[in-house]
Amino acid sequence: MDSTPVNWEALDRLILDFAKSENLIDDSASTSIISSPSSSPPSFSSSYQSRFIIRQIRRFLESGDIDSSLHLLRSHAPFILDDHRLLFRLQKQKFMELLRRGTGEARDSAIECTRTALAPCALDAYPEAYEEFKHVLLAFIYDKDDQNSPVANEWSERRRFEIAGLMSSVLRAHLQAYDPVFSMTLRYLISIHKGFCIRQGISSPISDLTERLLLEERDPPAVPQESFYEAPPFDEVDIQALAHAVELTRQGAIDSLRFAKGDLFQAFQNELCRMKVDVSMLDELVREYCVYRGIVDSGLALPSVPGLKTLTEPLKVGQSEPGYCSSRNYSFEVDNTNSKHSDGETSVSNAHMNGSPEDSVDVNSIQGTDVELRYACESTNYSEDCSTSGSHQAGISKVLQRNRNYTTGERSKRKRWRGRQDDEDYKQDVNATSTDLSREQQGLEKHPSADIKSRDDKYEIVLGMKELAGRGMAAEVVEEVTALDPNFFLQNHILLFQLKQVEFLKLVSSGDHSSALRVASSHLGPIASRDPSLLKPLKETLLALLWPNEDALGKGLPLHALSTSLQFAIGRKLGVEEPQLMKLMRATLHTHNEWFKLQMCKDRFDSLLRIDSLKDVNTPLISACSMSKSNADSCTHGSSQVTISSSTRVSEDGSSATQESSRDVCDENAILKVMEFLALPRADAIHLLAQYNGNAETVIQQIFA
């Protein structure tokens, strides 16, 4: 199955909103590599509080504690108890839970419950309520273990989950406590992905994720009040859009619209939130993505500094670590003042120490200060190999050394992952929910001490390169990557071409045209001569010489896309696994495109769920990925630069050019009529109409003939 380019920056924003809405991250203070993260409690939004109350009520109902759920409802949502239909169901469940205890005292309480609460409520709940009341009284004489009794369903513990799901649906709608947008978007995309794969008879490459993440079971729908049954008829377009978007029957879509008082988008959100997801697995997928993208700190280890074991061990001057420089001629400098360098880093010049192996200093005593180790063997000559564990490890160490101050500053801006510490309902064993999330995690489980420092180093290198590219520091990126792996750009020549494009455009913007032309002749030209598909973007890049200086950067530098492509390519080189969530988003967005091509219409809910922003990929000049099939793999993975060619571009209403002829012969009302009468998907209705010149009556007659 093909993949679709994704705007990863738009996904970053969705993910960050999700993490904040669910209080999964500590947003009260930035983390620091030396000082411990803030332990102050997070501030809870009203939406989160409402969702938390709903989860508490749900938990009480699922455990059979009806009194506790009634107490919470009286405190936070008393209007729910004014609906006697819901109150009757709660009281009926309370009656069954009292009998379930099996004691004489509980039986007496059950009798009292029928007299004071259940019977009075049954009189005006709904027409069938009194018959249900008389039926449930049979539980007095039939044992709960009798599977053949007429009240076996009433005894079933499944009733708890049904009423818990119903109350959740009603409370969510009344309190406007919808799940974060990303959670709803993911449910919608996965449901479309599953339906598309079944309809087309193809296997899903992400079925292991989708099957575990989106559960088959849904909460019961919220039933509209009787006064809404006389609501004016809804637009058939809305009915069909809702029915096919969330897999409802036509009557189910009408009932959902009635409950939402005709608001299509509210009904759509109500139905999406009825879909159940594995919350623990979703949280782990989000955490993995956030670490990869540098949104949260990995929490694995501090950036590796050769010679410094940990921040809790004394440092032995002159002590060497395997794989690092063993020279003893280095200085250890600490500054306890608050003075700053021009680049924002803390000055380190007040304490000097040169000593023997016997000298030591306890780092705990200087916690909170900036620490710097300077090695005589790594002063300026980066070609010198101080490593005893291979040239590749030496290259990584050198890159870390040169970028240490920079990555430390960036890391301090990252947020701390908290997890669902405030919701006991979702505290589960991580090993039970995320054992297969990544091969790297499996490797760490097998080897608890297994290269955690090394893995964290790799993350810092990858993120450091990404940040440099995102700032347009192309020359620095090329230098750092070449130091890391001299053969990298031989295997990723398109990335080198794009970085040199950035360097060229920056020089043009600064007015240094002669230097820009040297870059073009020394790098862009030779690369394009070896790959003819790059000649067109080369010509477009050279047009920047004609622009005003202030326009070159704005028109030609989608730096976020380039930085993501670079991140993936370097990460793959270092063995850093791509997050599972990125694979899932590519596949589901692709099937979303294909599904609405079949439907020959535009998705009415894509703006609500930010799907349009996830697909909003724009590449002015740096469009080389779409030019070379030989490098498609390195570009589509992690890149948002691929553009759709004009020959396959989707039209304004979502249909492709090849489908327009079928669409032209079909009137919208005719499409809806065939969909309604024959209960057909939109695409099937259009194809039938095309066979009969768009005449809906003829189609219906032929089907029933």
Side-chain angles (χ1 to χ4, degrees):
M1 182 180 293
D2 295 333
S3 62
T4 291
V6 181
N7 187 327
W8 299 116
E9 288 63 44
L11 183 59
D12 287 350
R13 291 190 292 271
L14 272 179
I15 291 288
L16 188 57
D17 287 344
F18 170 82
K20 288 181 177 179
S21 297
E22 294 291 70
N23 286 289
L24 297 174
I25 58 176
D26 185 359
D27 201 31
S28 58
S30 298
T31 58
S32 170
I33 66 163
I34 294 183
S35 60
S36 60
S38 172
S39 59
S40 59
S43 58
F44 298 105
S45 66
S46 58
S47 176
Y48 177 84
Q49 289 176 334
S50 297
R51 294 197 305 275
F52 180 64
I53 290 168
I54 293 171
R55 288 198 291 267
Q56 284 183 306
I57 292 172
R58 183 179 198 129
R59 185 162 59 248
F60 285 136
L61 290 173
E62 289 177 348
S63 64
D65 190 350
I66 309 302
D67 283 335
S68 295
S69 62
L70 287 170
H71 173 72
L72 281 177
L73 286 169
R74 292 189 188 99
S75 301
H76 300 284
F79 55 87
I80 294 295
L81 301 180
D82 294 336
D83 188 338
H84 284 197
R85 302 170 308 160
L86 298 174
L87 181 61
F88 172 71
R89 296 186 183 188
L90 288 169
Q91 295 293 356
K92 185 170 68 169
Q93 190 63 34
K94 178 180 178 180
F95 168 76
M96 294 303 302
E97 296 301 336
L98 288 170
L99 288 182
R100 196 187 304 276
R101 297 177 187 174
T103 64
E105 183 181 355
R107 180 176 290 265
D108 292 340
S109 297
I111 295 173
E112 182 64 21
C113 176
T114 59
R115 291 173 178 169
T116 61
L118 189 57
C121 192
L123 295 175
D124 58 356
Y126 46 89
E128 302 84 5
Y130 196 70
E131 287 300 319
E132 292 181 17
F133 163 69
K134 291 188 293 183
H135 179 76
V136 81
L137 292 179
L138 295 174
F140 277 121
I141 59 175
Y142 287 98
D143 188 77
K144 63 182 179 180
D145 296 323
D146 186 354
Q147 299 299 317
N148 297 319
S149 74
V151 286
N153 288 335
E154 301 295 341
W155 278 114
S156 173
E157 291 190 1
R158 182 173 180 80
R159 288 288 192 180
R160 295 175 173 177
F161 294 90
E162 290 175 354
I163 192 171
L166 174 63
M167 295 303 299
S168 296
S169 296
V170 174
L171 285 167
R172 190 162 43 235
H174 280 289
L175 297 176
Q176 295 290 295
Y178 297 116
D179 293 328
V181 173
F182 174 70
S183 180
M184 292 191 288
T185 301
L186 204 57
R187 296 174 198 185
Y188 182 56
L189 289 174
I190 291 176
S191 66
I192 289 177
H193 178 83
K194 287 183 175 181
F196 177 83
C197 291
I198 293 173
R199 178 182 173 84
Q200 298 300 108
I202 59 178
S203 59
S204 169
I206 55 168
S207 59
D208 58 326
L209 287 175
T210 57
E211 296 299 329
R212 293 161 53 203
L213 188 57
L214 184 65
L215 309 180
E216 292 294 334
E217 188 178 0
R218 300 189 187 189
D219 287 336
V223 181
Q225 297 181 13
E226 292 182 10
S227 60
F228 295 155
Y229 279 97
E230 301 302 323
F234 304 111
D235 190 331
E236 188 65 30
V237 175
D238 290 349
I239 295 173
Q240 294 296 336
L242 181 62
H244 290 285
V246 288
E247 300 178 350
L248 294 176
T249 63
R250 184 174 184 276
Q251 186 58 51
I254 292 173
D255 289 341
S256 183
L257 284 167
R258 281 175 175 157
F259 181 77
K261 301 180 182 179
D263 189 327
L264 173 64
F265 295 104
Q266 182 176 336
F268 177 67
Q269 291 179 88
N270 290 340
E271 295 302 322
L272 275 184
C273 290
R274 284 178 52 211
M275 300 179 182
K276 295 183 178 180
V277 295
D278 186 326
V279 178
S280 296
M281 181 179 178
L282 176 58
D283 289 352
E284 184 59 26
L285 288 173
V286 169
R287 188 199 68 81
E288 182 188 33
Y289 178 86
C290 287
V291 170
Y292 183 85
R293 296 287 287 171
I295 298 173
V296 302
D297 193 73
S298 64
L300 294 174
L302 298 176
S304 175
V305 181
L308 181 63
K309 285 187 175 180
T310 67
L311 286 180
T312 59
E313 296 180 359
L315 179 68
K316 299 291 185 179
V317 176
Q319 185 178 13
S320 63
E321 280 287 315
Y324 297 117
C325 176
S326 59
S327 172
R328 298 182 181 182
N329 297 321
Y330 61 87
S331 63
F332 181 71
E333 302 179 359
V334 179
D335 181 18
N336 291 317
T337 68
N338 293 324
S339 61
K340 300 285 184 179
H341 288 304
S342 59
D343 60 356
E345 294 296 327
T346 306
S347 174
V348 282
S349 59
N350 287 350
H352 300 271
M353 186 184 305
N354 290 287
S356 63
E358 289 75 21
D359 298 325
S360 67
V361 58
D362 188 354
V363 180
N364 292 321
S365 64
I366 56 169
Q367 196 171 37
T369 62
D370 189 24
V371 179
E372 182 172 354
L373 298 178
R374 296 178 180 172
Y375 290 81
C377 66
E378 275 210 11
S379 55
T380 57
N381 184 9
Y382 294 112
S383 63
E384 182 179 355
D385 186 5
C386 302
S387 172
T388 60
S389 59
S391 59
H392 181 69
Q393 180 63 43
I396 293 179
S397 300
K398 293 170 185 176
V399 171
L400 276 174
Q401 278 293 308
R402 282 183 284 175
N403 287 315
R404 188 169 57 82
N405 289 335
Y406 172 76
T407 55
T408 297
E410 289 299 315
R411 187 167 185 171
S412 66
K413 299 176 184 177
R414 299 177 206 162
K415 304 179 187 302
R416 182 176 66 90
W417 184 265
R418 297 179 62 251
R420 293 183 185 268
Q421 299 178 1
D422 305 287
D423 190 349
E424 294 293 332
D425 189 29
Y426 293 119
K427 280 187 176 179
Q428 301 179 15
D429 186 3
V430 174
N431 292 331
T433 59
S434 59
T435 55
D436 298 321
L437 282 180
S438 75
R439 277 174 276 175
E440 281 194 4
Q441 289 175 340
Q442 291 176 353
L444 289 177
E445 288 173 3
K446 294 176 183 177
H447 307 283
S449 60
D451 298 329
I452 292 182
K453 182 194 297 183
S454 175
R455 182 186 177 212
D456 203 42
D457 288 347
K458 292 177 182 178
Y459 269 101
E460 293 307 316
I461 292 172
V462 171
L463 290 173
M465 299 299 182
K466 172 178 174 286
E467 293 297 331
L468 286 172
R471 294 186 177 188
M473 301 171 68
E476 292 80 356
V477 170
V478 173
E479 179 186 356
E480 296 292 338
V481 173
T482 303
L484 179 68
D485 182 0
N487 297 321
F488 178 83
F489 288 120
L490 296 178
Q491 303 165 359
N492 298 272
H493 69 278
I494 286 182
L495 280 175
L496 178 60
F497 183 86
Q498 293 170 336
L499 287 166
K500 290 302 177 180
Q501 277 182 307
V502 172
E503 186 177 350
F504 174 86
L505 292 172
K506 285 188 69 177
L507 290 170
V508 170
S509 295
S510 65
D512 191 353
H513 290 181
S514 60
S515 297
L517 288 173
R518 278 198 299 272
V519 170
S521 60
S522 301
H523 299 283
L524 295 178
I527 297 173
S529 65
R530 293 193 299 270
D531 187 347
S533 65
L534 298 176
L535 286 174
K536 182 178 178 180
L538 174 59
K539 296 174 185 177
E540 294 172 343
T541 302
L542 292 176
L543 288 176
L545 293 169
L546 307 180
W547 297 343
N549 293 341
E550 62 272 11
D551 292 338
L553 283 171
K555 289 184 178 180
L557 294 179
L559 295 175
H560 54 273
L562 175 58
S563 64
T564 301
S565 296
L566 186 69
Q567 177 187 20
F568 178 81
I570 295 175
R572 184 168 57 178
K573 186 70 176 178
L574 295 179
V576 176
E577 286 288 329
E578 178 192 32
Q580 297 277 16
L581 189 58
M582 296 180 83
K583 301 174 185 176
L584 188 145
M585 294 304 297
R586 281 197 205 92
T588 55
L589 286 172
H590 172 74
T591 48
H592 181 272
N593 280 338
E594 298 303 311
W595 175 251
F596 281 95
K597 287 180 184 178
L598 287 176
Q599 301 302 303
M600 301 183 192
C601 65
K602 189 178 186 300
D603 185 359
R604 297 187 65 183
F605 307 107
D606 62 351
S607 295
L608 177 69
L609 298 179
R610 317 281 175 81
I611 294 174
D612 54 351
S613 66
L614 292 173
K615 296 180 182 179
D616 184 15
V617 178
N618 185 25
T619 57
L621 283 182
I622 306 179
S623 55
C625 282
S626 61
M627 303 294 175
S628 176
K629 292 183 179 180
S630 63
N631 290 273
D633 183 63
S634 64
C635 296
T636 56
H637 288 83
S639 173
S640 57
Q641 301 179 60
V642 183
T643 56
I644 303 174
S645 65
S646 58
S647 61
T648 60
R649 185 173 298 278
V650 178
S651 63
E652 182 68 23
D653 65 349
S655 59
S656 66
T658 59
Q659 297 165 330
E660 289 298 328
S661 57
S662 298
R663 175 75 183 274
D664 290 341
V665 301
C666 304
D667 177 70
E668 186 67 24
N669 291 328
I671 296 173
L672 294 172
K673 183 179 291 186
V674 173
M675 291 175 67
E676 176 185 354
F677 276 89
L678 302 181
L680 289 176
R682 181 182 178 88
D684 290 347
I686 292 174
H687 289 310
L688 277 175
L689 285 166
Q691 296 176 29
Y692 295 96
N693 297 320
N695 192 313
E697 288 75 13
T698 303
V699 171
I700 295 171
Q701 289 173 7
Q702 290 296 323
I703 294 296
F704 286 105

